[in-house]
């Protein structure tokens, strides 16, 4: 599962756990993006090291969750197709599943090298953004035909929480209890992450 994880929240963890169970995965790699091309303006956000620390804290008590730093590099933008091809090169006998949200599914045509992504993995689509199953299945069929891809729908509830929403709540000093792991909440408070500076 890739993403900026700015910050990681319970929605990410639930999707990871349900993917692990439904597809009988060996483990789930949480892969923070170092320099995602679609999120270039990250002023006022957590630093790379802080995002990595928060992911580490969030997953440390789950034996089949693992932190991957494959996309945490300083030079160049990170692209999913490159990361997946590198993973396949190192582990040619491993079948990779890449977990994405419905919002990413509907934007998949805009990704860099979608055909190469499809060759490298099965794409697991999580319900999000209030898209109906009919709409999701129609888009999956279209993309599968266009890119000769293998898409699978994750049988999960619509977890309607986002990192953007979490950051907004922090700025409004609202409770994050049950939306973000306690260890991550403590870390954010200790480091003053996302808090608006007093003028």
């Amino acid at each position: 599962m890739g993403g900026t994880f700015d910050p990681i929240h319970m929605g990410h963890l639930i999707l990871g756990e349900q993917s692990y169970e439904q597809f009988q995965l060996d483990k789930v790699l949480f892969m923070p993006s170092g320099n995602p091309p679609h999120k270039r303006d990250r002023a006022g956000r957590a630093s790379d090291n802080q995002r990595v620390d928060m992911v580490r804290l969030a997953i440390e008590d789950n034996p089949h969750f693992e932190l991957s730093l494959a996309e945490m590099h300083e030079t160049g933008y990170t692209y999913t197709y490159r990361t997946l091809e590198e993973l396949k090169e190192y582990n040619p006998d491993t079948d990779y599943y890449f977990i994405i949200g419905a919002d990413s599914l509907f934007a998949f045509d805009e990704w860099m090298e979608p055909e190469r992504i499809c060759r490298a993995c099965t794409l697991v689509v999580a319900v999000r953004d209030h898209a109906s199953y009919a709409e999701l299945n129609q888009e999956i069929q279209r993309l599968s035909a266009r890119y000769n891809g293998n898409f699978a729908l994750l049988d999960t509830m619509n977890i309607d929480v986002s990192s953007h929403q979490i950051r907004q709540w922090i700025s409004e000093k609202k409770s994050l209890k049950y939306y973000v792991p306690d260890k991550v909440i403590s870390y954010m408070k200790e480091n003053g992450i996302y808090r608006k500076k007093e003028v």
Side-chain angles (χ1 to χ4, degrees):
M1 182 189 298
T4 48
F5 299 117
D6 196 14
I8 190 168
H9 53 69
M10 289 301 192
H12 297 129
L13 301 173
I14 291 169
L15 292 181
E17 185 71 8
Q18 293 189 319
S19 297
Y20 171 80
E21 287 196 338
Q22 182 175 330
F23 299 101
Q24 299 180 314
L25 306 178
D26 295 317
K27 60 186 172 183
V28 179
L29 300 176
F30 284 77
M31 193 177 298
S33 301
N35 208 356
H38 61 295
K39 295 185 179 180
R40 299 184 183 190
D41 181 16
R42 300 192 57 252
R45 306 290 179 82
S47 69
D48 288 354
N49 287 338
Q50 288 172 334
R51 291 187 297 113
V52 168
D53 285 345
M54 288 189 284
V55 172
R56 186 179 285 111
L57 287 168
I59 69 174
E60 65 183 3
D61 62 351
N62 190 322
H64 49 261
F65 283 179
E66 188 174 304
L67 173 65
S68 169
L69 301 179
E71 292 206 329
M72 293 300 295
H73 51 78
E74 295 178 3
T75 57
Y77 290 110
T78 52
Y79 291 105
T80 299
Y81 80 93
R82 286 183 188 159
T83 302
L84 288 167
E85 287 178 351
E86 286 171 6
L87 288 171
K88 287 292 287 183
E89 186 178 344
Y90 292 131
N91 303 289
D93 297 326
T94 298
D95 293 325
Y96 283 96
Y97 291 70
F98 190 67
I99 305 165
I100 63 173
D103 49 346
S104 295
L105 179 77
F106 289 107
F108 192 67
D109 287 318
E110 301 166 21
W111 287 34
M112 186 71 72
E113 302 286 356
E115 300 95 336
R116 290 168 70 172
I117 294 172
C118 288
R119 281 201 298 270
C121 71
T122 296
L123 286 117
V124 174
V125 183
V127 177
R128 195 175 170 187
D129 293 345
H130 310 288
S132 70
Y133 279 100
E135 290 172 312
L136 287 170
N137 282 317
Q138 184 177 5
E139 186 66 359
I140 283 173
Q141 288 177 3
R142 184 187 74 81
L143 291 171
S144 296
R146 181 170 185 181
Y147 300 116
N148 194 28
N150 188 9
F151 293 78
L153 200 56
L154 181 62
D155 184 18
T156 183
M157 66 187 78
N158 187 355
I159 303 163
D160 197 13
V161 61
S162 69
S163 295
H164 173 78
Q165 189 176 44
I166 296 295
R167 294 193 301 271
Q168 183 67 31
W169 287 349
I170 292 170
S171 71
E172 296 169 0
K173 299 184 178 178
K174 290 184 177 179
S175 172
L176 305 180
K177 189 74 174 174
Y178 308 120
Y179 288 94
V180 178
D182 288 343
K183 291 177 182 177
V184 176
I185 293 174
S186 296
Y187 181 89
M188 289 190 293
K189 286 180 179 176
E190 288 167 10
N191 292 276
I193 307 173
Y194 313 119
R195 295 264 178 209
K196 288 183 179 176
K197 293 179 180 176
E198 300 294 333
V199 178

